[in-house]
Amino acid sequence: MYRRFVRPVLYRLGKGDAEIAHEQTLHGLRRLGRVPGAVSALSRSYGAIPAGAARTVFGIRFPGPVGLAAGMDKNGIALPAWRALGFGFVEVGTVTAQPQPGNEKPRLFRLVEDEAVINRMGFNNLGSAALAERLEGYGPLGYPLGVSIGKSKVTPLDKAVDDYVISLRRLYQYGDYFAVNVSSPNTPGLRSLQDAGQLRELLTALHMEASALAEAGGGSGGQPSAKPILVKIAPDLTPSAIDELLGVCTDVGVAGIIATNTTIGRAGVENHPLASEAGGLSGRPLTEIAAKTVAHIHAETGGALPVIGVGGILDPDDAVRLLDSGASLVQVYSGLIYRGPGLIRSINRRLT
C-alpha cells in the first residue's frame, strides 16, 4: 500500500522536492503523536516487536534490534511516534553546539531508479540547547534514545573538541548513548577528525566529560558508569585506516562503532542524472560496502567492540546480512523512504 498509494503522493509534494516530503512526514508524525489513541492504533498495525527480539548491547536493553538512524528526526520532534512504527531505538541529530541552517537548498535528492539518496544537508538543526529543552518535555519514550553530536560549521577545527563537549554536557541526562559523528562529508574538514591523533584527543575529552557527568549525577549507589560513547565512521576509509581508528577507540574505551555513514563515492549510480550532485550517497549502493565494513570491524576486534550496522537496508535480507556480518543492531533511513514503515515490521518478523 505504501509503494502504490502513499509514496507517489509524498514524491509529488513540493513539486518533487525530497526535503519538503521529509519535513511534511515528520510534522505529520508529530501531530499524530499528540492525538489520543493515534499512536496506539498505529502501533497495532506496525509496532509489534516479537518476543525474543530484545537484546542488551553496551549495557543498554533494546526492545528490538532495528533503530532509526540519525538524520531522519534531527531535532526530535516526532519521538513518541517512532516506537509505534516498530523501532527498538531512535537516534536523534546530528546536533551541533550552535544552531545552524545547513547548506543551501536544494540539498536532498532521490535517485529513485537506484533506490538511493544523495544529501548535503550540512547538519541543519536547532542546536543542542534547543534539543535538550525539547527532550526535557517528553516523558518515558519506551525505547533507548541515541544522540548524534557533531561540529558546528562555524567552529574552527582546532576548537572542535570544545564544540562536541558542549553538546555532550547539555544532552547527557537525556541520551542513553552518544554517537560521535566525525564522518559526514557535508561539513568542511569534519572527516579529518577520523585521523588517529585528532580522534584520540576528541574521544579522550568526551570520555573524561562523560565520566565526570556520571559521577556528578550518580548518587549513593556506588561508582556510576559513564553512558556509552560510539563513533560513526565513513564507508570510504581504507582497511588500514579503519584498523588505526579502531586502535584509538579501543585505547580510549569507546563502547561501539556505527558503520557506516554516507559515501562520497558514486559506484552503482554513475549514469544517473543526479550522480554529479555533491553530498553523501546512501541507500542500495551502500548495501555491499556497509556489510564489508561491519565484517572487517568484527573480525579485527574479535567481536569485542559492538557494531551498529547501517547502510543499504531495503529488505529483511539486508538486515540479516549485516547481523550475520557481526552487527549487534541495525539502523534504517533510506529504506524507510523507499519501502515505508512496513519495512520495519518485516525486518522485526524476520529476525525472530
Side-chain angles (χ1 to χ4, degrees):
M1 185 178 71
Y2 172 81
R3 280 191 269 185
R4 289 184 63 186
F5 301 109
V6 178
R7 196 173 79 174
V9 173
L10 288 175
Y11 284 14
R12 287 195 295 269
L13 289 175
K15 298 181 179 180
D17 188 320
E19 186 170 355
I20 290 177
H22 180 180
E23 294 298 324
Q24 290 293 322
T25 301
L26 272 182
H27 286 289
L29 288 170
R30 180 186 190 182
R31 289 190 293 270
L32 190 71
R34 295 173 173 175
V35 177
V39 170
S40 297
L42 187 64
S43 185
R44 285 192 292 271
S45 297
Y46 292 102
I49 299 177
R55 55 189 65 189
T56 300
V57 185
F58 36 80
I60 299 174
R61 183 71 168 171
F62 292 85
V66 185
L68 180 69
M72 179 64 76
D73 192 358
K74 295 176 187 287
N75 297 303
I77 70 170
L79 294 184
W82 294 117
R83 175 62 186 84
L85 294 180
F87 287 104
F89 64 106
V90 171
E91 193 171 304
V92 295
T94 294
V95 65
T96 53
Q98 300 187 45
Q100 55 187 38
N103 295 322
E104 292 185 7
K105 300 178 182 180
R107 55 193 180 184
L108 185 63
F109 307 91
R110 291 184 294 253
L111 286 65
V112 177
E113 300 85 350
D114 300 298
E115 291 189 303
V117 174
I118 292 175
N119 94 83
R120 51 171 180 266
M121 305 298 287
F123 291 166
N124 56 308
N125 73 104
L126 300 176
S128 54
L131 179 58
E133 183 177 356
R134 187 184 303 279
L135 295 177
E136 177 70 26
Y138 285 122
L141 293 169
Y143 55 76
L145 181 69
V147 181
S148 177
I149 56 176
K151 185 189 79 68
S152 306
K153 185 176 182 179
V154 297
T155 301
L157 277 173
D158 61 359
K159 301 294 184 183
V161 170
D162 294 338
D163 205 68
Y164 280 88
V165 168
I166 288 170
S167 291
L168 178 68
R169 186 180 302 133
R170 288 171 174 168
L171 294 163
Y172 189 79
Q173 64 178 305
Y174 306 108
D176 293 289
Y177 73 84
F178 292 86
V180 182
N181 189 341
V182 288
S183 50
S184 169
N186 300 318
T187 295
L190 185 79
R191 284 190 168 192
S192 69
L193 295 175
Q194 293 177 116
D195 296 342
Q198 295 187 73
L199 185 64
R200 185 180 298 274
E201 179 186 3
L202 172 60
L203 294 179
T204 298
L206 290 171
H207 181 74
M208 291 176 62
E209 182 67 21
S211 297
L213 290 166
E215 186 173 355
S220 58
Q223 184 64 31
S225 298
K227 292 181 178 180
I229 292 177
L230 286 68
V231 175
K232 188 167 187 174
I233 69 170
D236 307 307
L237 295 174
T238 64
S240 60
I242 293 174
D243 294 347
E244 188 174 27
L245 181 148
L246 292 175
V248 172
C249 291
T250 301
D251 289 347
V252 175
V254 164
I257 302 293
I258 301 177
T260 64
N261 211 318
T262 57
T263 177
I264 58 174
R266 293 294 183 265
V269 300
E270 301 95 331
N271 297 322
H272 196 283
L274 294 172
S276 60
E277 293 287 350
L281 176 71
S282 61
R284 177 57 74 197
L286 216 54
T287 304
E288 182 78 17
I289 191 169
K292 287 183 177 179
T293 304
V294 169
H296 179 88
I297 295 168
H298 183 74
E300 182 66 19
T301 64
L305 196 61
V307 181
I308 298 178
V310 54
I313 298 178
L314 286 104
D315 58 50
D317 287 343
D318 299 326
V320 169
R321 184 180 182 189
L322 279 179
L323 292 167
D324 287 346
S325 297
S328 299
L329 303 163
V330 296
Q331 289 178 328
V332 174
Y333 183 161
S334 298
L336 196 61
I337 296 172
Y338 286 107
R339 304 297 177 90
L343 172 64
I344 312 306
R345 180 177 55 193
S346 62
I347 294 174
N348 280 328
R349 289 175 175 174
R350 175 68 183 278
L351 295 183
T352 53

